[in-house]
Amino acid sequence: MTEERSTTTRDAVELTYLPVLADAVGAIRARAKATPAGRLQNGITLACGLLILGALVLNLTGRKGPGLGATVFCVAALAFFLGLYALVPGLQGQQLHRMYASQGEFRVVVDDDGVRQFSRDLDMTYRWPALPRYTETDELFVLLTGDRHGVGMAILPKRGTANPADVDRLRAILNRSITRM
């Protein structure tokens, strides 16, 4: 057991970081792109926006000329759907960030056993079956639960690594332990 633990520790990657709003928003956006439920939500929102845009174009180019009421309705609906698409991840990210920002600095250890997070009031261990998949952005690794919605997630900011080579080592651990989306 001691031998196994020392091997795991040697292969571990450690991250230290303060949570920032951009991490939370980036994770929410990445989850929306990586999960079937997120892609469906994005697709429906964009399809509604395109439908409204089409109605606006038809209204503006119709034989009778543009109707004021229809134009106002279409512009308002289009603004709503575009705002929904743009603002919802930011609002969700703010909620997520508020939850973690109060914890101060995070220390995370990732190895072949899973992910361990430590902060002021938090000491959590995720074994790989709890977070069986991940997605990557330019700034983050976002680990997701196995459900269709990716309800649970762990955020690993790349800036938390001690040096750039640790990002590649972390990616290697993730690739051999869980599925990349």
Side-chain angles (χ1 to χ4, degrees), residues 49-155:
L50 288 174
L51 235 73
I52 299 292
L53 182 61
L56 178 62
V57 168
L58 288 174
N59 177 53
L60 294 175
T61 60
R63 284 189 182 160
K64 295 181 183 177
L68 180 61
T71 301
V72 169
F73 173 78
C74 288
V75 169
L78 187 59
F80 172 76
F81 280 105
L82 290 176
L84 188 66
Y85 182 75
L87 293 177
V88 167
L91 295 173
Q92 291 175 332
Q94 284 178 351
Q95 291 174 333
L96 184 63
H97 177 66
R98 270 190 229 116
M99 185 172 70
Y100 286 107
S102 64
Q103 292 298 308
E105 184 175 78
F106 274 73
R107 187 174 143 260
V108 180
V109 178
V110 182
D111 60 25
D112 288 330
D113 291 334
V115 178
R116 293 185 302 280
Q117 290 183 323
F118 308 93
S119 67
R120 187 186 72 218
D121 300 323
L122 180 71
D123 183 350
M124 291 183 62
T125 299
Y126 299 99
R127 303 273 182 241
W128 290 124
L131 298 168
R133 56 200 178 137
Y134 82 98
T135 188
E136 182 178 356
T137 70
D138 291 341
E139 297 84 24
L140 306 168
F141 290 101
V142 182
L143 285 60
L144 302 164
T145 54
D147 61 289
R148 182 174 187 273
H149 304 283
V151 172
M153 66 179 156
I155 304 168

Side-chain angles (χ1 to χ4, degrees), residues 7-74:
T7 302
T8 300
T9 305
R10 185 178 61 230
D11 293 338
V13 174
E14 187 171 322
L15 296 89
T16 305
Y17 62 92
L18 284 169
V20 296
L21 179 58
D23 293 343
V25 173
I28 295 291
R29 289 187 194 281
R31 179 180 70 181
K33 290 178 184 174
T35 63
R39 287 190 298 269
L40 178 64
Q41 178 182 345
N42 286 343
I44 288 172
T45 303
L46 288 175
C48 288
L50 288 174
L51 235 73
I52 299 292
L53 182 61
L56 178 62
V57 168
L58 288 174
N59 177 53
L60 294 175
T61 60
R63 284 189 182 160
K64 295 181 183 177
L68 180 61
T71 301
V72 169
F73 173 78
C74 288

